[in-house]
Amino acid sequence: MTGSPLPTARRAPLRRDPNRLPRWFLAVLALPPAAFLAVLYIWPLATIATRGLSGGALADTLARPDTWRAAWFTTWQAFASTVLTVLVGLAPAWAVARFTFPGRRLLVSVLAAVFVLPTVVVGAAFVALLPDSLDRGIWAILGAHVVFNLAVVVRVVGAAWEQLPIGLERAAATLGASPWRTFLHVTCPLLRPAIVSASAIVFLFTFTSYGVIRVLGTAGTRTLEVEVWRRATQLGDTGGAAVLSILQLLALGALVAVSARIQRRGAHVLALDPHAGRPRPHARQRWLVVAAAGGAFVLVLVPLIALVERSLRVGDGYGLDAWRSLGDNEIRPGLRLGIDPLGALRNSAVTALWATLLALVIGGLAAVAITALRRSGRLLDAGLMLPLGTSAVTIGFGMLITFDTPPVDWRAGWWLVPLGQALVAVPFVVRTALAVLRSIDPDLRAAAATLGAPPLRAWTATTLPYLRRPIATAAGLAAAISLGEFGATSFLSRSGSETLPIAIERLLGRTGRLFQAQAFALSAILAAATIALVIVFDLAGNDRERS
Amino acid sequence: MRRGGLLLAALALVTGACGGDDDPKTVTLVSYESFPTDPENPLLVALDEFTEETGIEVEILIAGDTGTMLSKAELTAGNPEGDVMWGVDNTFLSRALDAEVFVPYTADGVDALPSDLTALVPNGEATPVDFGDVCVNYDIAALAEAGVEPPSSLADLTDPAYAGMFVVEDPATSSPGLAFLLATVVEFGEDGWEQYWRDLRANDVLVVDGWSQAYYEEFTFAGGSRPIVVSYGSSPPFEVLFASEPLDEAPTAVVESTCFRQVEFAGILRGTDVEDEARQLVDFLISERFQREVAMNLFVFPANPDVELAPEFTAYAAIPDDPLTMDPATIEANRADWIDRWTTIVTG
């Protein structure tokens, strides 16, 4: 839309960029992501808000004791998980930050791989690991959260630790301080911003824990997310679920704001020494390093090994029964569970393909539009980050109760699940692509223009070649996210078209040995697929990360 | 570019291969997970005959336990996962009707059904197909081995002698679970049932999501560790008829004073695009041909009174003279509240 020529002329800045891309082109770029966001995110959220705030749902739900029980449990388990993860993570962070030792890189990669594993898989691994009496409940949940988030502590705290001026510690030692005293009074205060920052991230992740709790939780250990799911899909109380979603959204918003502040503050405090060396450990240190790194290895690998081991266990021996029977789900002759493990495998593959494709198109267009547009670009950027700060459960629930009235009754459409997953993945695609696009030297375009290329051509020639690598990286990421996505999918998938995480959760909910073993087998497949994708993604993004 | 084209082609292939079945002559029957899926099962053989006569294919979609199935139907009301749904019972029916899950239809043959069943759905809101009783069952041998007498009433189950022996279904997700909760409300009254459940909890009652999990996985007779379970009055004949070795007597028994009457309904799901075919299927479900297979294969009593029951069924099934019941209006008015209170007591 163009107004009268006068205001346009008045608004035109003096230093008008001659390379400015045509307006229609920018609109073409920005419209699909903006529409995607409006239809799939803003509208569903508005539906949740109206559903939750209208009628008696609000008062009813707030008066219910289980609402507050869930809120309280959500908070304290997140707190406990965070404290535990930091305590467990400090030792490997120290080892990785301070020393060079065989297996160091491997440890970092393994931790990163576990961090991207689907939540349901980590939950399944703990069911496999723990004895029957312990495999459901708070201890299993805390254990899974620690294993999951160890990478955050090791990365964030390790990165700071690596750059601490080692001279300070040596000075303390020279002055006669014991190693413990040195740690407490010199290292610890310096690390504090990093620890706080890592804690904030872990708290955020565990506060919104859903898949792990669906698998490992009991009736007494329900987070707000699980309660949203239970009220909406088990009890048919969408009003109550909407109220809980709003509650969760508010808490999450506050948490994100607080953690962003903490991280900003943390970034300024340290005067880092980026060139601190990493020696090999010697003498007594060697044992400590072996204990710290070995402990971390054991902690994250044993559950995964248990997963594979249990998928192969048949009675007291071993065999491939569970793997061979993946095509079947009989409870008794002629009676079936209604879950088709092989079908789930196929559904997951197709869903991931479409979700990835969608996320790439939308995220790619958005990233390009954001860099090309100025003020409205920032708005689009912020808007597309919103799904990141919203739990996938809220996204799935919102879509479920929004697209249920003609003419937008999409509940039977097979594309609803990939759409929801794409929405969850788009922020990651945008981040990945933006990082590269923003680093393109603007002089390149100026040079192209000087050589006579019209703006559009100058832009195409200087931008598109750089997009290939981030697109490849983002594709791996989006596919991994889609494969493991459980939050939104648990609302959107229909009977008979379950994806892998949904099938795993349902099979684990059964006590039959064969069902459990099938769930472990599917989890092993899903874990392998995710890790393979991440390795590809790591390779593709590798030279960006080297500095 | 060429690689991109290949990818697209592959995508089209894969998604094309699993696209929906658009044949208008297929009716999808949504049912709970204890519905048989073995093609040799006489119920499915009967459905095959229906297909031969009418040309309408019947596909069966298992959608979890009754409560889960109904919740899905509520969330998909108007755009259903199938065309006909079987298995909503009188304890859940009002929830289905409130959510407008069904299109009303008065089936051919409904006149032949007993009036106490049809009175529950006077305007054809759904069609009664079968009925049965939800009762406490026990494993005779396992109790004998543990050295305890079988329970004889609901109150007995809070006796420490039965600690850790009882498994029930969650009334929020399971229809026998809800029926059993209602039975305790009828038995102990509005003032007493909550205390009863506190006592049961103190006695280490186990709660699972659904019947098939309780019966096929937790019950000792199926290899679990709990010798007392909430199941059906018709479960003992099932154990006789499907015993691996011939039995003279049922290995499990029913505590008759705990039985609660349940009527199961079938209905046409609103939003189906094969409504006419769906109607024919509902007609068939209450026809004599189909009804005579119901008893021996679903272990419930057929709604159609003209069907003769097999002697081996009547010999072992518990048919309580005076089952516990509750009128639908009372259930409807209190169900959500009772389930909430139950959840707080038992799982809080």
Side-chain angles (χ1 to χ4, degrees), chain B residues 141-310:
Chain B
L143 283 187
E145 201 175 307
V148 290
E149 288 289 312
S152 62
S153 67
L154 284 175
D156 279 358
L157 294 166
T158 59
D159 187 327
Y162 303 112
M165 290 188 171
F166 190 28
V167 54
V168 301
E169 298 86 0
D170 187 338
T173 53
S174 155
S175 118
L178 180 56
F180 183 66
L181 170 60
L182 298 179
T184 65
V185 176
V186 177
E187 177 83 9
F188 299 102
E190 179 64 16
D191 301 324
W193 71 269
E194 289 176 285
Q195 187 54 46
Y196 176 73
W197 279 98
R198 277 186 209 107
D199 295 343
L200 273 187
R201 190 185 177 186
N203 220 15
D204 191 23
V205 67
L206 174 70
V207 179
V208 298
D209 277 349
W211 174 80
S212 58
Q213 185 171 1
Y215 196 80
Y216 285 131
E217 295 166 23
E218 301 295 347
F219 189 38
T220 43
F221 197 71
S225 60
R226 303 261 168 169
I228 309 174
V229 63
V230 169
S231 184
Y232 294 93
S234 54
S235 298
F238 181 91
E239 296 305 342
V240 177
L241 295 164
F242 286 82
S244 40
E245 288 159 28
L247 294 171
D248 294 330
E249 274 177 45
T252 62
V254 159
V255 186
E256 282 201 22
S257 67
T258 63
C259 293
F260 187 92
R261 179 57 53 89
Q262 250 186 347
V263 183
E264 290 189 331
F265 298 87
I268 298 169
L269 290 166
R270 188 165 57 84
T272 170
D273 44 12
V274 286
E275 191 168 333
D276 188 45
E277 287 79 4
R279 288 177 170 191
Q280 295 184 51
L281 179 61
V282 172
D283 293 346
F284 182 71
L285 293 181
I286 57 168
S287 71
E288 198 274 334
R289 172 69 192 91
F290 189 78
Q291 289 271 304
R292 70 170 186 252
E293 309 293 357
V294 161
M296 294 296 282
N297 294 291
L298 283 173
F299 291 83
V300 286
F301 295 95
N304 191 328
D306 301 336
V307 171
E308 256 183 61
L309 293 174

Side-chain angles (χ1 to χ4, degrees), chain A residues 424-472:
Chain A
V424 175
V426 156
F428 295 92
V429 176
V430 172
R431 282 297 104 185
T432 315
L434 266 187
V436 174
L437 284 178
R438 286 199 168 135
S439 66
I440 295 174
D441 190 348
D443 287 349
L444 275 179
R445 241 171 83 195
T450 313
L451 292 172
L456 201 53
R457 175 147 164 65
W459 178 84
T460 333
T462 57
T463 308
L464 292 188
Y466 293 95
L467 271 179
R468 237 184 65 180
R469 190 174 291 283
I471 292 272

Side-chain angles (χ1 to χ4, degrees), chain A residues 85-99 101 104 107-108 111 150 153-155 157-158 161 288-289 291-297 299:
Chain A
T85 313
V86 169
L87 286 181
V88 173
L90 280 181
W94 167 77
V96 163
R98 276 293 155 87
F99 301 102
F101 54 90
R104 183 183 169 279
L107 177 60
V108 174
L111 288 179
L150 210 52
V153 176
V154 172
R155 278 248 167 144
V157 179
W161 212 325
L288 288 173
V289 169
F297 263 123
L299 199 62

